[in-house]
């Protein structure tokens, strides 16, 4: 009896692994498996535009990092960030700008600036009442970009 249940537990683990590997290889977002895509949860083009706009206002008020954006073309930056997030979240947008390394090369962005940027982004997602799963999924897409953005 004990052997059978160990075996079935083992098979269950194998099945879960096969499923996880299968899902991991799937291009879709986690939420697309059961419901609306991340793009939809973010409110599509208009929801993402609202979030990015609010984010850039918050960054502008943040003395830890606003100097870095003093000479930025904010209209261009907003449009590019919306396209980038739209594409990465499964929307129809096609981001045609430079990759994250090229876009930030020469800015010498520090860990402290990165942390402030991420904190402002998290606070903005809460402020704009983005659903919690979508908040963490979006952060999960953007956080791994750190090595391309920081320290170059
Ligand atoms: C995951 C995090 C980030 C993403 C997704 C992101 C995304 C972008 C995008 C899409 C652009 C436009 C590139 C172009 O079209 O030339 C850009 C430019 C820029 N980013 Fe970031 N960025 C991130 C982090 C940061 C951080 C941490 C800083 C500084 C604290 C920063 C500062 C800037 C500045 C100053 C520009 C140039 C704006 C301009 O001159 O128009 N970014 N970023």
């Amino acid at each position: 009896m004990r052997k059978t249940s160990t075996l079935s537990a083992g098979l269950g683990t194998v099945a879960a692994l096969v499923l996880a590997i299968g899902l991991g290889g799937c291009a879709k977002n986690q939420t697309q498996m059961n419901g609306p895509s991340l793009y939809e949860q973010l409110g599509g083009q208009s929801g993402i535009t609202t979030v990015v706009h609010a984010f850039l206002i918050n960054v502008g008020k943040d003395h830890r990092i606003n100097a870095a954006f003093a000479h930025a073309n904010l209209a261009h930056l907003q449009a590019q960030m919306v396209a980038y997030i739209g594409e990465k979240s499964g929307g129809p947008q096609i981001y045609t700008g430079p990759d994250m390394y090229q876009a930030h090369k020469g800015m010498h962005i520090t860990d402290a600036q990165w942390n402030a940027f991420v904190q402002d982004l998290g606070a903005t997602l809460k402020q704009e009442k983005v659903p919690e799963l979508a908040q963490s999924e979006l952060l999960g897409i953007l956080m791994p970009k750190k090595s391309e953005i920081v320290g170059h």
Side-chain angles (χ1 to χ4, degrees):
M1 193 55 193
R2 180 179 284 239
K3 269 207 169 131
T4 314
S5 59
T6 309
L7 180 65
S8 56
L11 285 175
T13 309
V14 171
L17 269 175
V18 168
L19 187 65
I21 291 163
L23 293 179
C26 174
K28 290 184 171 188
N29 301 307
Q30 189 192 333
T31 44
Q32 274 177 302
M33 297 304 147
N34 304 312
S37 67
L38 175 58
Y39 178 71
E40 285 161 336
Q41 288 192 67
L42 293 170
Q45 168 84 16
S46 73
I48 294 172
T49 302
T50 301
V51 167
V52 170
H53 185 73
F55 171 64
L56 290 177
I57 289 173
N58 289 338
V59 164
K61 291 185 207 155
D62 186 343
H63 295 290
R64 296 172 298 177
I65 49 172
N66 56 10
F69 294 85
H71 303 289
N73 176 344
L74 291 178
H76 171 80
L77 180 58
Q78 178 173 310
Q80 291 292 75
M81 288 184 107
V82 169
Y84 186 81
I85 292 171
E87 181 185 275
K88 299 287 178 206
S89 64
Q93 291 78 1
I94 297 168
Y95 172 73
T96 56
D99 64 33
M100 290 299 101
Y101 172 74
Q102 288 297 335
H104 301 92
K105 196 170 67 163
M107 290 185 195
H108 310 291
I109 295 172
T110 64
D111 267 324
Q113 285 178 309
W114 169 263
N115 291 339
F117 183 97
V118 171
Q119 203 178 57
D120 291 346
L121 180 57
T124 307
L125 294 170
K126 281 196 189 76
Q127 175 194 312
E128 296 304 316
K129 300 188 169 39
V130 169
E132 277 182 25
L133 180 59
Q135 289 185 29
S136 52
E137 224 180 292
L138 179 61
L139 291 171
I141 290 169
L142 298 181
M143 293 310 92
K145 297 289 163 192
K146 180 181 177 186
S147 61
E148 292 174 47
I149 294 171
V150 172
H152 309 293

